Amino acid sequence: MAKKRPQTKAKRPQLGDAEIPVVGAREPCPCGSGRRYKACHGRAAAQAVTELVQRPFEGLPGECDWVALRELVPAATVELTLKDGLPEGVPSVTLATVLPMAWPALRRDDGSVLLGLQNDTPSGDLSRDLADTLRRALTAEPGTPVQGRRAPADGPRLQDLLDPAGAFEPVVHSGFEFWVPDPENATAEVTASLERANAAAIPTVRLQGVDAAYWCETPEKNHLRWVMPHAEERLLDALARLQAAGRTSLGEGTRLVGSFRAHGLTVPVWDLPSGVGAQDVEKPAAVFAEHLAEALASDAPLTADERRARGGLTNRQVTLS
């Protein structure tokens, strides 16, 4: 009777944390540990998803504009400055609100990098997810998109990669033609994506006289949405003081209607008549900014009228993220 040969188990290749796919909670972990996914790498994944970083762009130049480009602006780009300079073969790094087919990033044929901002991310730290995508885009083959993945829990954040002294100057576009440097050679898929995106884009203009204020045009009325860096409670008090005093108007027919919460910041919103364009609110917005600075400096208790105004503003507050 032949002897049975001892069986040897082939060693599974070791996977990095970021390469381990998501599986069912009770399934064996793909890392090969022999434990269930929920008790192994699933635990870190679940923790990353639930631990939301409230202000992912805090500490970056232009935090308010980061929030606006993430949540409010359809088509815009910003040239980014890396802390350690551009790697060899990468002529530029550009942040874009959206990329074709919702790619997280794209390394163009010339080696330049486009980083998409308005994509879904797998963890609760948007800054870490974007930094991971950016790092992989810098070394991707020219002419290829970069797919999304779960960033390593100990990976760098945008604050670690971007120059804190670098300028952050958004350029708002009327459409997404910046996707295609050579339209004649674009694939049919990219061309179709471009047409769909252009059809859905809302006309948007960034005001020049104040920071992070964006005018937009909609069929029934126009709006001004202004991302502000002040602490929420103090800002609401200041807005209530101005509202009660009748000093929140940006011109005839305009009205402060409420605010959004987005990535830890507050975004007051004004309704504007359809005939009021971005240029029409430049001067009133600058005057309002002066009044707001005065109201923010006040520590006086709110009056009864101001408390009523604050309650109205609070009731019309919506959380975007």
Side-chain angles (χ1 to χ4, degrees), residues 51-289:
E51 289 187 354
L52 176 66
V53 176
Q54 296 292 336
R55 288 181 63 178
F57 307 120
E58 185 176 13
L60 291 174
E63 179 188 7
C64 293
D65 283 306
W66 277 92
V67 172
L69 267 56
R70 167 72 182 184
E71 299 295 341
L72 307 174
V73 182
T77 55
V78 185
E79 294 300 311
L80 298 180
T81 304
L82 303 187
K83 186 178 293 185
D84 297 328
L86 293 169
E88 184 177 355
V90 180
S92 63
V93 175
T94 303
L95 180 73
T97 48
V98 180
L99 294 180
M101 278 74 75
W103 288 327
L106 171 66
R107 181 95 185 270
R108 282 179 160 165
D109 291 336
D110 66 354
S112 61
V113 167
L114 290 177
L115 176 66
L117 181 58
Q118 294 183 9
N119 297 301
D120 292 333
T121 54
S123 84
D125 188 352
L126 180 56
S127 177
R128 195 179 308 281
D129 291 331
L130 288 168
D132 178 68
T133 301
L134 174 56
R135 290 182 76 192
R136 291 185 292 122
L138 293 172
T139 58
E141 288 294 323
T144 60
V146 175
Q147 303 301 328
R149 72 171 188 180
R150 185 174 68 248
D154 59 350
R157 307 177 75 239
L158 287 174
Q159 289 81 348
D160 301 314
L161 301 183
L162 301 183
D163 186 350
F168 192 84
E169 300 175 353
V171 177
V172 178
H173 304 275
S174 59
F176 295 88
E177 282 72 21
F178 64 86
W179 284 355
V180 189
D182 186 7
E184 293 183 358
N185 292 323
T187 66
E189 190 178 21
V190 169
T191 300
S193 183
L194 175 62
E195 292 175 352
R196 290 192 300 271
N198 281 343
I202 296 173
T204 302
V205 177
R206 183 175 186 263
L207 298 194
Q208 299 301 307
V210 295
D211 292 334
Y214 290 81
W215 170 94
C216 69
E217 179 183 14
T218 60
E220 296 183 358
K221 63 184 70 173
N222 299 340
H223 305 280
L224 183 73
R225 301 176 290 187
W226 192 339
V227 187
M228 296 187 173
H230 317 292
E232 180 180 346
E233 296 302 315
R234 193 164 191 85
L235 176 58
L236 288 174
D237 281 351
L239 292 174
R241 296 180 197 279
L242 297 179
Q243 186 90 306
R247 302 175 76 186
T248 57
S249 173
L250 299 179
E252 185 177 355
T254 68
R255 186 167 69 98
L256 175 64
V257 293
S259 62
F260 299 130
R261 289 191 192 96
H263 303 290
L265 299 183
T266 304
V267 188
V269 178
W270 282 259
D271 278 353
L272 314 172
S274 57
V276 174
Q279 287 297 324
D280 298 320
V281 293
E282 283 280 7
K283 186 175 180 180
V287 172
F288 175 81

